[in-house]
């Protein structure tokens, strides 16, 4: 089925806030007396704030009350927002602006490509404002509109539905293992952004949007679909 919609993750795809999440969680873990590695951090990408906290505490062998966990999640978010609030449109990842420009102009003969944000972050609206991309999406689904974090497909299924498209008409752009799994469970084409060694479930992996033309991308998707992805 030909692709008529693009669903974009935010953190690590549009903007490099994935690094800020890692810094803030690492600071919290260090204060609790343990560390989290880059490799462990991969398992946190695309996972909601509270689910991430629970994974980190289990990793460090720390048990805390629900009240203390809420305090820590709030503290982490404050540290994270200190970093987010310094962001400007310069933080947009290489190639993203050019890709959006091409996307707005690209037609498929039977209509333009529509796009949605699909992020589990409750800070997505703020981040889009900071980088000047709040008006660039036809639909925005963020952590305030969903009940299940990735790898549950809810965020992408809602995005596709609000775009008025079938899941099979959508391609998802994701940097997270959990996000790629969510796309696949939702019945969408999954484009991984990063390394094929990490994003093993993706139908296609690209290093970034830098130097990517929409024509090349759509051709690569069609080739992968032809191979029965
Ligand atoms: C996802 C990130 O986009 O949002 C996760 O990949 C993060 O690392 C999650 O935990 C929730 O973000 P926030 O901004 O609501 O704490
Ligand atoms: Mg991400």
């Amino acid at each position: 089925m030909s692709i008529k919609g693009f669903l974009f993750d935010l953190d690590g795809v549009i903007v490099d806030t994935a690094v800020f999440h890692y810094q803030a969680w690492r600071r919290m873990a260090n204060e609790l007396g343990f560390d989290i590695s880059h490799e462990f951090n991969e398992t946190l990408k695309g996972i909601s704030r509270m689910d991430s906290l629970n994974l980190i505490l289990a990793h460090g062998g720390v048990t805390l009350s629900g009240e203390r966990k809420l305090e820590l999640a709030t503290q982490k978010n404050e540290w994270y927002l200190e970093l987010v609030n310094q962001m400007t449109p310069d933080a947009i990842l290489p190639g993203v602006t050019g890709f959006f420009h091409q996307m707005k102009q690209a037609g498929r003969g039977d209509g333009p490509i529509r796009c949605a944000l699909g992020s589990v972050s409750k800070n997505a609206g703020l981040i889009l404002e900071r980088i000047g991309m709040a008006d660039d999406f036809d639909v925005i689904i963020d952590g305030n509109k969903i009940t299940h974090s990735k790898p549950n497909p809810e965020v992408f299924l809602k995005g596709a539905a609000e775009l008025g498209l079938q899941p099979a008409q959508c391609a998802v752009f994701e940097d997270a293992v959990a996000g790629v799994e969510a796309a696949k469970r939702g019945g969408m084409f999954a484009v991984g952004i990063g390394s094929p060694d990490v994003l093993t479930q993706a139908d296609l992996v690209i290093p970034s949007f830098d130097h990517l033309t929409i024509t090349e991308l759509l051709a690569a998707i069609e080739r992968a679909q032809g191979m029965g992805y």
Side-chain angles (χ1 to χ4, degrees):
M1 200 177 271
S2 76
I3 298 296
K4 297 203 169 93
F6 286 160
L7 301 169
F8 295 88
D9 173 48
L10 176 66
D11 295 319
V13 169
I14 301 290
V15 74
D16 205 5
T17 36
V19 172
F20 296 164
H21 280 295
Y22 180 41
Q23 282 177 24
W25 282 131
R26 198 166 182 211
R27 183 169 170 186
M28 190 205 75
N30 288 172
E31 289 206 354
L32 291 170
F34 63 96
D35 201 7
I36 53 175
S37 68
H38 205 272
E39 197 176 32
F40 175 74
N41 185 57
E42 286 299 322
T43 68
L44 302 178
K45 290 184 177 176
I47 307 295
S48 72
R49 197 179 309 164
M50 282 313 286
D51 288 352
S52 298
L53 176 61
N54 285 325
L55 287 170
I56 292 166
L57 293 177
H59 186 67
V62 176
T63 309
L64 297 172
S65 68
E67 197 185 345
R68 181 75 185 119
K69 285 202 264 186
L70 269 180
E71 278 173 18
L72 286 177
T74 304
Q75 173 68 83
K76 178 267 173 177
N77 196 50
E78 282 169 11
W79 287 332
Y80 174 67
L81 289 180
E82 279 171 18
L83 300 167
V84 164
N85 281 321
Q86 292 166 27
M87 275 180 7
T88 67
D90 287 345
I92 296 171
L93 284 166
V96 169
T97 305
F99 188 79
F100 268 67
H101 188 68
Q102 293 180 63
M103 190 174 65
K104 302 286 172 197
Q105 302 199 326
R108 301 280 301 158
D110 49 354
I113 292 179
R114 290 169 50 71
C115 74
L117 186 84
S119 168
V120 305
S121 171
K122 294 187 168 159
N123 295 305
L126 170 72
I127 293 168
L128 291 180
E129 289 292 341
R130 296 270 348 150
I131 61 173
M133 288 187 70
D135 297 328
D136 288 353
F137 296 88
D138 299 306
V139 164
I140 292 180
I141 310 292
D142 66 13
N144 303 298
K145 292 191 179 168
I146 54 163
T147 44
H148 304 291
S149 156
K150 298 166 188 173
N152 187 294
E154 181 186 11
V155 67
F156 294 135
L157 289 174
K158 282 200 167 147
E162 285 203 22
L163 287 175
L165 297 173
Q166 297 297 317
Q169 294 176 301
C170 297
V172 169
F173 296 93
E174 257 297 345
D175 69 317
V177 173
V180 167
E181 186 181 334
K184 294 316 299 165
R185 279 167 60 179
M188 292 136 192
F189 188 93
V191 182
I193 312 285
S195 159
D197 294 338
V198 176
L199 304 171
T200 53
Q201 275 197 62
D203 300 305
L204 178 71
V205 180
I206 56 174
S208 75
F209 286 103
D210 209 12
H211 303 299
L212 181 72
T213 75
I214 206 155
T215 316
E216 278 167 11
L217 176 77
L218 289 171
I221 290 176
E222 277 166 21
R223 272 199 305 278
Q225 286 176 324
M227 292 190 302
Y229 71 92

